Short mmCIF file of all heavy atoms in Angstrom, two decimals:
data_model
loop_
_atom_site.label_atom_id
_atom_site.label_comp_id
_atom_site.label_asym_id
_atom_site.label_seq_id
_atom_site.Cartn_x
_atom_site.Cartn_y
_atom_site.Cartn_z
N ARG L 209 -9.28 -11.48 63.27
CA ARG L 209 -9.27 -10.01 63.27
C ARG L 209 -8.24 -9.43 64.23
O ARG L 209 -7.97 -8.23 64.19
CB ARG L 209 -10.67 -9.48 63.64
CG ARG L 209 -11.74 -9.80 62.62
CD ARG L 209 -13.09 -9.22 63.02
NE ARG L 209 -13.55 -9.77 64.30
CZ ARG L 209 -13.61 -9.06 65.42
NH1 ARG L 209 -13.24 -7.79 65.43
NH2 ARG L 209 -14.04 -9.61 66.53
N GLY L 210 -7.65 -10.28 65.08
CA GLY L 210 -6.71 -9.77 66.06
C GLY L 210 -5.27 -10.17 65.80
O GLY L 210 -4.46 -10.23 66.73
N ILE L 211 -4.93 -10.43 64.56
CA ILE L 211 -3.58 -10.88 64.23
C ILE L 211 -2.81 -9.74 63.56
O ILE L 211 -3.32 -9.05 62.68
CB ILE L 211 -3.63 -12.10 63.30
CG1 ILE L 211 -4.29 -13.28 64.02
CG2 ILE L 211 -2.23 -12.50 62.84
CD1 ILE L 211 -4.51 -14.47 63.15
N SER L 212 -1.56 -9.57 63.99
CA SER L 212 -0.68 -8.57 63.39
C SER L 212 0.56 -9.25 62.81
O SER L 212 0.87 -10.39 63.18
CB SER L 212 -0.27 -7.52 64.44
OG SER L 212 -1.40 -6.87 64.99
N LEU L 213 1.24 -8.54 61.93
CA LEU L 213 2.45 -9.07 61.30
C LEU L 213 3.67 -8.28 61.76
O LEU L 213 3.64 -7.04 61.80
CB LEU L 213 2.33 -8.99 59.78
CG LEU L 213 3.47 -9.60 58.97
CD1 LEU L 213 3.53 -11.11 59.17
CD2 LEU L 213 3.31 -9.28 57.48
N PHE L 214 4.73 -9.02 62.11
CA PHE L 214 5.93 -8.39 62.66
C PHE L 214 7.17 -8.86 61.90
O PHE L 214 7.25 -10.00 61.44
CB PHE L 214 6.10 -8.74 64.14
CG PHE L 214 4.97 -8.24 64.99
CD1 PHE L 214 3.82 -9.02 65.16
CD2 PHE L 214 5.03 -7.00 65.61
CE1 PHE L 214 2.76 -8.55 65.94
CE2 PHE L 214 3.98 -6.53 66.38
CZ PHE L 214 2.84 -7.31 66.54
N MET L 215 8.15 -7.96 61.83
CA MET L 215 9.45 -8.29 61.29
C MET L 215 10.37 -8.62 62.46
O MET L 215 10.59 -7.79 63.35
CB MET L 215 10.01 -7.11 60.50
CG MET L 215 11.39 -7.35 59.91
SD MET L 215 12.16 -5.83 59.32
CE MET L 215 12.64 -5.06 60.87
N VAL L 216 10.91 -9.85 62.47
CA VAL L 216 11.77 -10.30 63.55
C VAL L 216 13.07 -10.82 62.92
O VAL L 216 13.14 -11.97 62.47
CB VAL L 216 11.10 -11.41 64.38
CG1 VAL L 216 11.95 -11.75 65.61
CG2 VAL L 216 9.69 -10.99 64.82
N PRO L 217 14.12 -10.00 62.86
CA PRO L 217 15.36 -10.45 62.21
C PRO L 217 16.17 -11.38 63.10
O PRO L 217 16.11 -11.30 64.33
CB PRO L 217 16.11 -9.14 61.95
CG PRO L 217 15.63 -8.23 63.05
CD PRO L 217 14.20 -8.60 63.30
N LYS L 218 16.94 -12.25 62.48
CA LYS L 218 17.86 -13.13 63.22
C LYS L 218 18.89 -12.29 63.96
O LYS L 218 19.18 -12.54 65.14
CB LYS L 218 18.55 -14.08 62.25
CG LYS L 218 19.59 -14.99 62.87
CD LYS L 218 20.22 -15.90 61.82
CE LYS L 218 21.33 -16.76 62.39
NZ LYS L 218 21.92 -17.65 61.34
N PHE L 219 19.46 -11.29 63.29
CA PHE L 219 20.37 -10.32 63.91
C PHE L 219 19.71 -8.94 63.83
O PHE L 219 19.10 -8.60 62.81
CB PHE L 219 21.72 -10.30 63.20
CG PHE L 219 22.56 -11.52 63.44
CD1 PHE L 219 22.54 -12.56 62.52
CD2 PHE L 219 23.37 -11.63 64.56
CE1 PHE L 219 23.32 -13.70 62.72
CE2 PHE L 219 24.15 -12.76 64.77
CZ PHE L 219 24.12 -13.80 63.86
N LEU L 220 19.85 -8.17 64.88
CA LEU L 220 19.30 -6.82 64.88
C LEU L 220 19.96 -5.98 63.80
O LEU L 220 21.10 -6.23 63.42
CB LEU L 220 19.49 -6.18 66.25
CG LEU L 220 18.80 -6.93 67.42
CD1 LEU L 220 19.07 -6.21 68.73
CD2 LEU L 220 17.30 -7.09 67.17
N ILE L 221 19.23 -5.00 63.30
CA ILE L 221 19.66 -4.23 62.13
C ILE L 221 19.79 -2.76 62.50
O ILE L 221 18.86 -2.15 63.04
CB ILE L 221 18.64 -4.41 60.99
CG1 ILE L 221 18.45 -5.90 60.66
CG2 ILE L 221 19.08 -3.63 59.75
CD1 ILE L 221 17.27 -6.18 59.76
N GLY L 222 20.95 -2.19 62.19
CA GLY L 222 21.20 -0.79 62.46
C GLY L 222 20.57 0.12 61.43
O GLY L 222 20.01 -0.33 60.42
N PRO L 223 20.65 1.44 61.65
CA PRO L 223 19.97 2.40 60.76
C PRO L 223 20.38 2.31 59.30
O PRO L 223 19.59 2.58 58.40
CB PRO L 223 20.37 3.76 61.36
CG PRO L 223 20.73 3.47 62.78
CD PRO L 223 21.33 2.10 62.77
N ASP L 224 21.64 1.94 59.06
CA ASP L 224 22.13 1.86 57.69
C ASP L 224 22.20 0.42 57.18
O ASP L 224 22.83 0.15 56.15
CB ASP L 224 23.50 2.50 57.59
CG ASP L 224 23.47 3.99 57.90
OD1 ASP L 224 22.49 4.64 57.50
OD2 ASP L 224 24.40 4.48 58.55
N GLY L 225 21.57 -0.49 57.91
CA GLY L 225 21.57 -1.89 57.49
C GLY L 225 22.68 -2.72 58.06
O GLY L 225 22.81 -3.91 57.72
N GLU L 226 23.49 -2.15 58.93
CA GLU L 226 24.58 -2.93 59.52
C GLU L 226 23.99 -3.96 60.50
O GLU L 226 22.99 -3.71 61.17
CB GLU L 226 25.59 -2.03 60.22
CG GLU L 226 25.07 -1.27 61.43
CD GLU L 226 24.43 0.06 61.10
OE1 GLU L 226 24.09 0.28 59.91
OE2 GLU L 226 24.25 0.88 62.02
N ILE L 227 24.63 -5.13 60.57
CA ILE L 227 24.15 -6.21 61.43
C ILE L 227 24.67 -6.00 62.84
O ILE L 227 25.86 -5.74 63.06
CB ILE L 227 24.60 -7.57 60.87
CG1 ILE L 227 23.86 -7.86 59.57
CG2 ILE L 227 24.34 -8.68 61.88
CD1 ILE L 227 24.26 -9.15 58.91
N GLY L 228 23.75 -6.14 63.83
CA GLY L 228 24.10 -5.95 65.22
C GLY L 228 24.07 -7.25 66.01
O GLY L 228 24.44 -8.32 65.51
N ALA L 229 23.57 -7.16 67.23
CA ALA L 229 23.57 -8.30 68.15
C ALA L 229 22.56 -9.36 67.71
O ALA L 229 21.61 -9.10 66.96
CB ALA L 229 23.24 -7.82 69.57
N ARG L 230 22.79 -10.59 68.19
CA ARG L 230 21.87 -11.70 67.92
C ARG L 230 20.53 -11.42 68.57
O ARG L 230 20.45 -11.04 69.74
CB ARG L 230 22.47 -13.00 68.48
CG ARG L 230 21.67 -14.27 68.13
CD ARG L 230 21.85 -14.59 66.65
NE ARG L 230 21.59 -15.99 66.35
CZ ARG L 230 20.39 -16.52 66.11
NH1 ARG L 230 19.31 -15.76 66.16
NH2 ARG L 230 20.27 -17.79 65.81
N ASN L 231 19.47 -11.60 67.83
CA ASN L 231 18.11 -11.44 68.35
C ASN L 231 17.68 -12.74 69.02
O ASN L 231 18.24 -13.81 68.75
CB ASN L 231 17.17 -11.06 67.21
CG ASN L 231 15.89 -10.40 67.67
OD1 ASN L 231 15.71 -10.10 68.85
ND2 ASN L 231 14.99 -10.15 66.74
N GLY L 232 16.65 -12.67 69.84
CA GLY L 232 16.20 -13.84 70.58
C GLY L 232 15.27 -14.74 69.79
O GLY L 232 14.19 -15.12 70.27
N VAL L 233 15.65 -15.11 68.58
CA VAL L 233 14.89 -16.03 67.74
C VAL L 233 15.84 -17.14 67.30
O VAL L 233 16.89 -16.86 66.72
CB VAL L 233 14.24 -15.30 66.54
CG1 VAL L 233 15.25 -14.44 65.80
CG2 VAL L 233 13.62 -16.29 65.58
N PHE L 234 15.49 -18.39 67.62
CA PHE L 234 16.40 -19.50 67.40
C PHE L 234 15.67 -20.70 66.80
O PHE L 234 14.49 -20.94 67.09
CB PHE L 234 17.07 -19.93 68.71
CG PHE L 234 18.01 -18.90 69.28
CD1 PHE L 234 17.56 -17.96 70.20
CD2 PHE L 234 19.32 -18.86 68.87
CE1 PHE L 234 18.42 -17.01 70.71
CE2 PHE L 234 20.20 -17.90 69.38
CZ PHE L 234 19.75 -16.97 70.30
N CYS L 235 16.41 -21.46 66.02
CA CYS L 235 15.91 -22.74 65.49
C CYS L 235 16.05 -23.78 66.59
O CYS L 235 17.16 -24.04 67.07
CB CYS L 235 16.70 -23.13 64.25
SG CYS L 235 16.24 -24.74 63.59
N LEU L 236 14.95 -24.40 66.97
CA LEU L 236 14.97 -25.42 68.02
C LEU L 236 15.25 -26.80 67.44
O LEU L 236 15.84 -27.65 68.11
CB LEU L 236 13.63 -25.42 68.77
CG LEU L 236 13.20 -24.07 69.36
CD1 LEU L 236 11.87 -24.22 70.09
CD2 LEU L 236 14.26 -23.50 70.28
N SER L 237 14.81 -27.03 66.22
CA SER L 237 15.05 -28.31 65.55
C SER L 237 14.61 -28.18 64.10
O SER L 237 13.97 -27.19 63.72
CB SER L 237 14.28 -29.44 66.22
OG SER L 237 12.87 -29.24 66.09
N ILE L 238 14.97 -29.17 63.27
CA ILE L 238 14.42 -29.24 61.93
C ILE L 238 13.68 -30.56 61.77
O ILE L 238 14.00 -31.56 62.43
CB ILE L 238 15.49 -29.08 60.83
CG1 ILE L 238 16.56 -30.17 60.91
CG2 ILE L 238 16.13 -27.70 60.92
CD1 ILE L 238 17.56 -30.11 59.78
N GLU L 239 12.67 -30.55 60.91
CA GLU L 239 11.81 -31.72 60.74
C GLU L 239 12.49 -32.80 59.91
O GLU L 239 13.21 -32.50 58.95
CB GLU L 239 10.49 -31.31 60.06
CG GLU L 239 9.75 -30.15 60.70
CD GLU L 239 9.17 -30.49 62.05
OE1 GLU L 239 9.23 -31.68 62.45
OE2 GLU L 239 8.64 -29.57 62.71
N ARG L 240 12.27 -34.03 60.28
CA ARG L 240 12.62 -35.17 59.43
C ARG L 240 11.39 -35.47 58.59
O ARG L 240 10.32 -35.76 59.11
CB ARG L 240 13.01 -36.37 60.29
CG ARG L 240 14.24 -36.16 61.15
CD ARG L 240 14.55 -37.42 61.94
NE ARG L 240 14.83 -38.54 61.07
CZ ARG L 240 14.77 -39.82 61.44
NH1 ARG L 240 14.38 -40.13 62.67
NH2 ARG L 240 15.05 -40.79 60.59
N LYS L 241 11.54 -35.42 57.27
CA LYS L 241 10.35 -35.46 56.44
C LYS L 241 10.52 -36.36 55.22
O LYS L 241 11.61 -36.82 54.92
CB LYS L 241 9.95 -34.04 56.03
CG LYS L 241 11.07 -33.20 55.43
CD LYS L 241 10.64 -31.74 55.35
CE LYS L 241 11.62 -30.89 54.58
NZ LYS L 241 12.90 -30.68 55.28
N LEU L 242 9.40 -36.55 54.51
CA LEU L 242 9.34 -37.47 53.38
C LEU L 242 10.29 -37.08 52.26
O LEU L 242 10.97 -37.92 51.66
CB LEU L 242 7.90 -37.53 52.85
CG LEU L 242 7.63 -38.40 51.63
CD1 LEU L 242 7.82 -39.88 51.99
CD2 LEU L 242 6.21 -38.15 51.12
N GLY L 243 10.33 -35.79 51.94
CA GLY L 243 11.13 -35.33 50.82
C GLY L 243 11.72 -33.96 51.09
O GLY L 243 11.80 -33.52 52.24
N ILE L 244 12.13 -33.26 50.03
CA ILE L 244 12.82 -31.97 50.10
C ILE L 244 13.80 -31.95 51.29
O ILE L 244 13.82 -31.02 52.09
CB ILE L 244 11.86 -30.76 50.10
CG1 ILE L 244 10.78 -30.88 51.17
CG2 ILE L 244 11.25 -30.55 48.73
CD1 ILE L 244 9.92 -29.60 51.32
#
Side-chain angles (χ1 to χ4, degrees):
R209 294 182 299 110
I211 296 174
S212 301
L213 184 66
F214 298 87
M215 179 193 75
V216 187
K218 176 180 176 180
F219 289 95
L220 300 179
I221 304 168
D224 296 322
E226 65 272 17
I227 291 178
R230 186 71 158 85
N231 201 6
V233 50
F234 293 93
C235 176
L236 305 181
S237 65
I238 60 175
E239 308 291 354
R240 297 181 62 200
K241 50 193 189 290
L242 178 68
I244 52 172

